Amino acid sequence: MTSATSDGSILLIGASRGLGLALAEEYLRAGATVVATVRGPRRTALHDLVDHYADTLEIETIDITEQEEIAALHGRLNTRSFDLLFVNAGVANGAEETVADVGTDEFSRLMVTNALSPMRVVEVFHDLVPDTGTIAIMSSGQGSIANNERGGFEIYRASKSALNQLMRSYAARHVDDPRTLLLLAPGWIRGTGVGGDAAPLAIEDSIPKLVKVIDAQRGRGGLQFLDFRGQIVAW
């Protein structure tokens, strides 16, 4: 298999800003061919990269909360093969909002965006990843049940825990699948929906290390929940 960080082919879902944009830049700088997605028709920072990577960056549009858009993108890419499928999707709500006061619509928004929709992408696009490839999803350390000793971000935590459980179910249904499956925790990062201004990490502290973690797991198969340093995160 070609290296995901050199001349590999990457399908990166959710790359218009923040962590997804940084992932796109990291892979492009390393020489990968990247198909990256944005959510709507507006120009984003990802589009600015086309000037530098016109031959290796393609931009597609998809809202993964809409099933028909997932199917449509698969239809446009179904003759392609990707060494890495990376799904980066996540929204947050108020840190102190609990199940006692969150509205049903807001609860559903987090669950659909953070748990259901990324797994729908995996279910639809896994056939474009060869047996030697990797399927990765951006999870969060907040999704660890074992490590939840402080509370806070209650609904966000629940949505990421649900994502992790769904990915474990996917892995159980595909127990003989040789692909590498990763749930990744990028750390507490400033400028993100959860990180805010108080978080200890900058994007550049996390994303290059996260890419190295992904590359180090190539060909190992099975499901792992890892942080940006390559350490196992407790379920």
Side-chain angles (χ1 to χ4, degrees):
M1 175 187 168
T2 54
S3 170
T5 55
S6 59
D7 58 353
S9 179
I10 318 295
L11 176 55
L12 176 55
I13 305 295
S16 62
R17 58 187 173 84
L19 303 183
L21 176 64
L23 281 166
E25 289 184 281
E26 192 71 19
Y27 280 115
L28 288 165
R29 279 197 296 265
T33 298
V34 178
V35 177
T37 75
V38 297
R39 189 172 181 180
R42 294 173 52 187
R43 184 177 178 85
T44 71
L46 182 67
H47 292 84
D48 296 335
L49 296 181
V50 175
D51 294 337
H52 301 285
Y53 300 102
D55 295 332
T56 54
L57 172 61
E58 301 174 47
I59 299 177
E60 289 279 357
T61 301
I62 181 177
D63 179 350
I64 66 170
T65 66
E66 301 293 338
Q67 282 184 276
E68 62 273 16
E69 293 196 22
I70 297 175
L73 180 60
H74 184 272
R76 295 195 294 273
L77 299 177
N78 64 10
T79 61
R80 310 278 288 274
S81 178
F82 298 96
D83 299 310
L84 169 66
L85 166 62
F86 193 112
V87 186
N88 173 56
V91 293
N93 64 318
E96 303 305 321
E97 196 168 29
T98 72
V99 292
D101 47 47
V102 68
T104 300
D105 288 346
E106 180 69 349
F107 183 87
S108 298
R109 182 178 76 93
L110 265 69
M111 288 293 176
V112 169
T113 304
N114 295 354
L116 177 61
S117 298
M119 289 309 305
R120 280 178 168 165
V121 172
V122 170
E123 295 282 2
V124 172
F125 282 89
H126 71 96
D127 66 322
L128 304 188
V129 180
D131 288 348
T132 52
T134 300
I135 298 173
I137 303 180
M138 192 75 83
S139 183
S140 170
Q142 302 270 26
S144 169
I145 295 174
N147 291 341
N148 184 7
E149 297 179 348
R150 296 187 304 169
F153 290 103
E154 191 167 302
I155 312 305
Y156 178 81
R157 284 181 186 273
S159 69
K160 289 297 188 177
S161 295
L163 169 67
N164 294 351
Q165 184 71 284
L166 290 171
M167 189 62 162
R168 289 198 73 166
S169 293
Y170 173 88
R173 281 191 283 115
H174 298 84
V175 66
D176 295 324
D177 191 331
R179 295 177 183 87
T180 297
L181 306 176
L182 299 173
L183 289 159
L184 297 168
W188 190 15
I189 299 175
R190 291 190 297 276
T192 61
V194 176
D197 296 329
L201 297 174
I203 288 177
E204 56 267 26
D205 297 325
S206 170
I207 294 302
K209 294 177 182 177
L210 198 71
V211 167
K212 290 180 181 179
V213 169
I214 296 169
D215 196 45
Q217 298 304 316
R218 287 185 299 114
R220 294 197 175 187
L223 174 62
Q224 296 188 78
F225 184 14
L226 304 174
D227 69 12
F228 69 101
R229 295 160 296 192
Q231 297 179 357
I232 295 171
V233 182
W235 296 100

